[in-house]
Structures are given as C-alpha cells and as structure tokens.
Amino acid sequence: MPQNGALTESKKRIISLLRQRGSLTKKELSQRSGLGWATVVKAMRELMDEKLVISKGTNLSRTHAKGKNAYVYALNPQTPLIVGIDVEHTLTTLLLTGLEGSVFLQKQLPTPQGNGERMIDFLTGCIEESLDRFHRDPKDLAGIGIGLPGLTFPTTPWRANLEKAKRVEQTLAQHFHTKVRVDTNTNAYALYARWNLPQFQERDFLFVSIRTGIGTAIFSNGNLFRGESSLSGGVGHMKVVPAGSVCHCGGKGCLETVVNQNILLRQYREKVIGLPLSPEAFSDRQLVSQELQDLFQKALDGNPAAQRILKRAGTYLGKAFVNAISLLGIEHILISGYFGEEAAPLIEPIQATVRKALLRREDIPITYVPFDPLGHTQGAVMLILSEYLSDPLR
C-alpha cells in the first residue's frame, strides 16, 4: 500500500487501465494513458514496491522494437483487500474484494437492532470472521467502506446521528488499523453509479433511489456533495402534500409518505390485481421486485389502474424535483428502483410536472437504471476504491 498516503494521478491512471484491461506492458500503459515513458517506468517501480502491481513475466505476442519479449504487468490479485458493507434495516451484505475486482467473499446476515455500540460490535465481528475465513490479516486491507441507512440512527438529531456514524468510523479504523469510510447507502450507490454505469456519463446530477424510502444524492463537478450534516439532498422529506400523513421524520406530507416501493406495491395489490398483501411481503425482496416489475409492465401495456398509480407517483416526485432543480440548477436526474428495464410510465409524469413548473419550460434529462442487486455493497467498496482510480470523466 502507498507509504505516503494519497496516490498520484499517474498511478491512479495506471491502476485504472490495469483494472479495465487485465494486463499490459509498460509501452501499452504509456500509449493508453498518455503518460510519458519515464513517468510510467517510475510509477510502475513504485507500484510494485507498494505491492499493488505484479509482473506476470514475458509474453511472446508482445515485443519491444528491438525484438525482445515485453514484460506484462497486472494488479496484484492478493493484496490489497477492500471490505464493502451495505447495512439495511433488516439485512446486511458484506463483500471482500481485491483491487482488480475479484470478489473473494459475499455474505448476508440479519442486521441487529439496537444502539450504536451494538452495531460496532456486529460490524467488527463480520469483518474479523471474513478475514479469518481466508487466513488474511487486517494489514492486507486497503480500507473498509460502509453504507448505512440514514446513517443508521434515523430517530435522533442529525448532529448526534453524524457523531455516532463518526464513532463507527473511528472505532473500526483503530481496531483494524486501516482507513474506514462511512456514508449513507444512497451516497454509496450513487458513487457506484457514477463510476460503473457506461450509459450515464454525467458529472453534475441528482441521484434518486426509490426503495422503502426516497434516498437522494447530489453530484457536483463529479464529486458527492454531502454538506455539513452528510445528509444533503433530502428530497424524500420535502413536503408535497400540505395536510398529509405523518412521516417517520416527524413531519407531515413528506414525499416518502406518498411515494416509495412499499406504497406502490400496496396500491398494485389493491387497485390492479385485487389481492390482499400481508405485512411479511414487504421484507421479501424478490417478491417486491417481481410485483413492481409487473406493475410497470401492466402500465406499459395500457392498464388504466396501473397507469393512474404511476402517474400519481410521478406527479409527486416531479413536485419535489422542481424545488431541487430550481435551487441547485441541476441539469440531469438519475433514478434507480426495482421496476424492471423500462420506467416510462413513471418518468413521463415527472417530466410533465417539472416542465409545467419550471420557468424555462424545458425537459430535464431523466435517466432510469434498474438497481444492480449488489450495487449498494459495491458502492460501499467504491468509498475506498475510488481513491485508487482515475476519474473516467475528467
């Protein structure tokens, strides 16, 4: 691992290329990166000293101009390791990965209920068990990234909330002697989308996650804007129904009280297929995903009840988005949910509401991308991994 902290941009560019291409010669690295030969040679020497890059020997198909076989280099598949953890209210997912992208371990455990100290003990045990299983030492870790729902403590004031999250970060960093980054699951997934979705190449955008709540993240100039509270972008708690229902945040009429995946699922059961819905169904992720996809497909097929449900939801989302667009000057919105491959019945009423309310009367580009099942956990990995990579959009 780097001895002086942050990697240089040259090293990040080389690591990014090796991660994309698998293995390259120094000549190929120089050609593809735009770095000079001397810069590549120096950076490669240091990366090998830091055990981030290894030589795979010579390759007969790759030769120097003088006819000598060229050495081929690749990222070290054994070290460093990155732990990514996505903590949901009921389920926690952990990935143990390598710098080059290999997944050594994936496991899921029930999330414990209780105070911050219990969460710290739980996370510590998960990480220790994972390292022991592969006979690895904490010194092999590049870092630990953790995504928490609303920073895990949604019923407390934001300052206490942030302090508890920082205590998780500091305690684990001291215990494992490695860097630890703690953020919201929404910010983690937005980071994953920013770095891993080839169909979405924007540096300034609002990311909206529609799960059991409405999570939002703001990207400005390619970087996450977190604000002092680390809870910036709270579109889910903008008031869209003046005399609406009480939200879990204590307010009334918040966007989350009228739009989330559980509300869509309940309305689908009641108004489209006429079947009862047990409370246990909400915790069955596969069932929720399948029935939400059915709702959107029925709307695409012209089912009036399904179309009304999504038009209503889209209108409420549009009202909240108008505020964010007007205040922040946002030019792009990225939405993710468990809705299948096509979300036009939701996107179109959002567009109509936004177009009608904005002074400029223009459409704001809105991109929908289905959730990647491991995207939140891969996003937790990206909290660490992004410090090793060159920004693909710079």
Side-chain angles (χ1 to χ4, degrees):
M1 262 124 340
Q3 300 302 310
N4 59 348
L7 290 162
T8 65
E9 180 59 30
S10 297
K11 290 181 182 179
K12 289 182 178 181
R13 206 176 296 181
I14 289 171
I15 290 172
S16 298
L17 278 170
L18 291 175
R19 197 167 189 269
Q20 294 166 7
R21 303 288 179 172
S23 61
L24 294 168
T25 65
K26 289 178 183 176
K27 180 180 179 181
E28 290 169 335
L29 284 167
S30 179
Q31 291 171 337
R32 294 176 185 273
S33 67
L35 299 172
W37 173 256
T39 301
V40 170
V41 170
K42 180 178 182 294
M44 288 294 288
R45 182 173 61 249
E46 294 175 358
L47 287 170
M48 293 182 73
D49 288 343
E50 293 160 355
K51 295 182 170 50
L52 297 179
V53 171
I54 59 171
S55 170
K56 299 184 72 175
T58 58
N59 189 318
L60 296 177
S61 66
R62 294 166 172 172
T63 60
H64 291 301
K66 296 181 180 179
K68 295 181 180 179
N69 294 331
Y71 279 90
V72 178
Y73 300 89
L75 294 177
N76 190 334
Q78 299 300 320
T79 186
L81 300 175
I82 300 172
V83 174
I85 303 175
D86 174 46
V87 181
E88 295 184 80
H89 290 293
T90 59
L91 190 68
T92 294
T93 305
L94 179 146
L95 291 179
L96 181 64
T97 75
L99 188 61
E100 90 291 8
S102 297
V103 175
F104 300 110
L105 174 69
Q106 174 187 338
K107 66 178 181 180
Q108 292 185 321
L109 295 166
T111 302
Q113 305 303 308
N115 58 29
E117 296 305 320
R118 188 174 182 188
M119 176 59 67
I120 289 173
D121 291 341
F122 168 70
L123 293 172
T124 301
C126 287
I127 297 165
E128 288 179 337
E129 191 278 333
S130 300
L131 292 174
D132 289 345
R133 181 171 172 181
F134 283 88
H135 308 291
R136 305 302 291 270
D137 192 274
K139 70 178 182 344
D140 296 327
L141 289 172
I144 300 165
I146 302 171
L148 302 175
L151 296 181
T152 293
F153 317 101
T155 58
T156 56
W158 73 262
R159 286 191 184 277
N161 199 344
L162 185 61
E163 288 170 3
K164 290 179 180 180
K166 288 296 182 185
R167 188 162 73 248
V168 171
E169 194 171 85
Q170 293 167 0
T171 303
L172 292 180
Q174 292 170 0
H175 184 87
F176 291 103
H177 303 288
T178 191
K179 72 179 72 172
V180 178
R181 302 284 185 263
V182 176
D183 213 324
T184 65
N185 339 63
T186 300
N187 280 351
Y189 193 95
L191 199 61
Y192 164 78
R194 163 77 172 79
W195 285 81
N196 293 280
L197 296 181
Q199 68 271 50
F200 190 79
Q201 299 289 298
E202 302 297 336
R203 291 172 54 79
D204 300 275
F205 64 94
L206 177 71
F207 171 72
V208 181
S209 161
I210 304 177
R211 293 206 286 180
T212 54
I214 304 292
T216 46
I218 300 168
F219 268 88
S220 176
N221 196 30
N223 298 310
L224 265 172
F225 175 76
R226 295 176 171 87
E228 183 185 0
S229 66
S230 290
L231 294 172
S232 61
V235 171
H237 296 285
M238 288 184 175
K239 287 180 172 48
V240 295
V241 183
S245 303
V246 176
C247 179
H248 65 83
C249 74
K252 287 186 176 181
C254 296
L255 177 62
E256 285 191 7
T257 65
V258 287
V259 181
N260 63 53
Q261 67 180 25
N262 288 351
I263 290 173
L264 292 177
L265 179 60
R266 183 184 297 112
Q267 291 174 341
Y268 170 65
R269 281 290 189 104
E270 293 174 354
K271 299 179 180 181
V272 180
I273 60 177
L275 292 176
L277 183 67
S278 66
E280 294 78 20
F282 294 120
S283 60
D284 187 335
R285 185 181 299 175
Q286 185 173 354
L287 173 67
V288 171
S289 177
Q290 183 56 58
E291 297 213 353
L292 288 176
Q293 290 180 48
D294 291 344
L295 167 63
F296 275 74
Q297 188 57 54
K298 281 183 168 54
L300 287 166
D301 292 340
N303 183 288
Q307 290 176 337
R308 282 193 296 271
I309 290 170
L310 296 180
K311 181 179 180 180
R312 178 177 180 271
T315 300
Y316 282 131
L317 287 165
K319 288 181 179 180
F321 292 172
V322 165
N323 295 329
I325 293 167
S326 300
L327 182 64
L328 301 173
I330 289 169
E331 295 292 335
H332 300 270
I333 296 175
L334 174 64
I335 298 177
S336 284
Y338 296 109
F339 308 143
E341 296 300 320
E342 177 59 66
L346 181 69
I347 302 302
E348 289 170 2
I350 294 175
Q351 289 279 27
T353 303
V354 170
R355 187 188 314 114
K356 182 178 179 180
L358 284 182
L359 290 176
R360 56 189 179 182
R361 299 293 190 269
E362 294 177 352
D363 282 340
I364 293 293
I366 299 177
T367 302
Y368 165 75
V369 179
F371 275 134
D372 182 316
L374 282 177
H376 288 87
T377 317
Q378 291 284 11
V381 170
M382 286 303 304
L383 291 171
I384 301 297
L385 183 59
S386 60
E387 298 178 21
Y388 285 78
L389 303 178
S390 177
D391 187 339
L393 300 183
R394 286 194 190 279

